[in-house]
Amino acid sequence: MISDNMRGAGLMMAAMAAFTLNDTALKALAGELPLFQLLFIRGVLATGALALMACGMKALKFTMSRRDLLWVCLRAVGEASAAYFYLTALFNMPIANATAILQALPLTVTLGAALFMGMPFGWRRGLTIVVGFLGVLLIVRPGTEGFNIYSVYALLSVLCVTLRDLATRMISSAVPSMTVTVTSAGGVMAFFGVLQASAEWSPMEFRDFAILLTATTCIVAGYAFSVMVMRVGDISFVAPFRYTGLIWALILGWLVFGDWPQPLTLLGSAIIVGSGIYMLYREATLGRKLYKRNLARGGR
């Protein structure tokens, strides 16, 4: 019999595979269609599919407090900005490099939570973040020939996703997860729809639409698996499996685009992954200690 932890790990790996396949499909369309047009059409399809899914789960609820509405809107802004910066970078650099930089997310979220939300921040966390950022520097290598504006865009996408995740933490549990997901997808659709409205539309061939439909299916599946992950298994066990997305990026980058990272990029990726896993382990350990402490206080 498969344990809840193993099911959760499987769902997390499936979510990362789906998100990476989405990135691969969109990158395959780079230069074929304008970015704004791609993201608007994908947004229409994805928002519709997610809304139907949420309705089926009876998890679509648009009545919320002003505070929650503010954070939901801010999350959508972070999502849309991250999509623009990340995909612009992805279209102009190897998929493994862009994915590896994005793996610094647990480190930036921890730093952001400490700076803006008053979360505890000790020397171990600080040192882990510094080491992780050194791994990022090995990938982007500022000052070298390979460093360009798209490296900056990849870093900006990390900041935008950090904003998205911090905003998510501020949304109360009264707002269903699927409502947040649908709202963010709708925000991305609206954002790129406005940008595309004044631009010229490019005709889509059947191949282009088939690839875009594949990307949409993958990102909807990734969102669905991500929601399911939160309901299965111990998150401290499941969370490290998010780094399997980098393995998918290495494989697909080589198979589809013929890209293989340089040794320094692989070393930087390993440092980021190691730092992220330690950060997740540290968070889980402190969470268990806090839970036991509160439980002990409640018993007295």
Side-chain angles (χ1 to χ4, degrees):
M1 184 176 178
I2 302 177
S3 67
D4 285 346
N5 278 347
M6 292 307 298
R7 274 195 291 270
L11 288 168
M12 178 63 84
M13 289 189 287
M16 294 302 104
F19 285 133
T20 310
L21 285 168
N22 163 75
D23 291 346
T24 304
L26 289 178
K27 185 174 174 64
L29 291 172
E32 301 289 332
L33 294 169
L35 176 61
F36 297 162
Q37 181 177 332
L38 278 175
L39 290 180
F40 173 66
I41 297 174
R42 191 195 68 171
V44 171
L45 297 173
T47 303
L50 289 168
L52 288 174
M53 189 185 304
C55 288
M57 298 168 61
K58 297 181 179 179
L60 205 56
K61 176 186 176 184
F62 292 116
T63 56
M64 61 185 76
S65 67
R66 287 185 179 180
R67 178 184 179 278
D68 282 334
L69 180 60
L70 172 64
W71 290 115
V72 167
C73 290
L74 189 60
R75 186 189 192 280
V77 170
E79 185 85 62
S81 303
Y84 170 73
F85 286 120
Y86 178 72
L87 290 174
T88 302
L90 179 68
F91 286 3
N92 295 277
M93 66 193 303
I95 187 172
N97 292 40
T99 303
I101 293 172
L102 201 60
Q103 302 310 307
L105 184 60
L107 307 177
T108 57
V109 169
T110 299
L111 180 60
L115 292 175
F116 303 110
M117 299 170 63
M119 295 296 180
F121 189 82
W123 68 269
R124 290 184 181 87
R125 291 182 179 180
L127 182 60
T128 303
I129 290 172
V130 169
V131 171
F133 285 164
L134 289 176
V136 173
L137 290 177
L138 285 177
I139 296 174
V140 300
R141 293 191 285 279
T144 64
E145 184 179 349
F147 183 78
N148 52 40
I149 186 62
Y150 302 115
S151 302
V152 177
Y153 274 31
L155 295 173
L156 288 174
S157 74
V158 175
L159 295 181
C160 292
V161 178
T162 302
L163 170 64
R164 181 200 70 184
D165 286 1
L166 291 177
T168 304
R169 290 190 179 195
M170 300 301 294
I171 300 171
S172 72
S173 58
V175 183
S177 298
M178 283 302 296
T179 297
V180 176
T181 302
V182 171
T183 305
S184 292
V188 172
M189 175 192 69
F191 179 76
F192 288 102
V194 170
L195 293 177
Q196 179 58 33
S198 58
E200 184 177 350
W201 285 77
S202 297
M204 294 184 65
E205 298 179 359
F206 176 79
R207 169 189 172 273
D208 298 333
F209 185 76
I211 294 175
L212 185 56
L213 187 60
T214 300
T216 304
T217 302
C218 289
I219 199 167
V220 170
Y223 282 134
F225 289 137
S226 297
V227 172
M228 294 165 68
V229 160
M230 302 309 296
R231 300 179 177 182
V232 179
D234 182 358
I235 192 63
S236 64
F237 177 86
V238 172
F241 287 91
R242 74 185 306 276
Y243 291 108
T244 57
L246 182 55
I247 298 175
W248 280 107
L250 287 169
I251 294 172
L252 291 171
W254 177 61
L255 288 177
V256 179
F257 306 109
D259 294 329
W260 188 256
Q262 297 179 5
L264 279 179
T265 300
L266 291 173
L267 176 60
S269 302
I271 290 173
I272 293 171
V273 170
S275 301
I277 290 176
Y278 176 77
M279 184 67 73
L280 293 170
Y281 166 77
R282 184 70 182 164
E283 294 284 346
T285 301
L286 293 176
R288 283 193 292 268
K289 287 182 179 178
L290 181 61
Y291 173 76
K292 290 179 180 178
R293 190 179 303 131
N294 292 337
L295 192 64
R297 288 175 179 174
R300 283 199 290 267

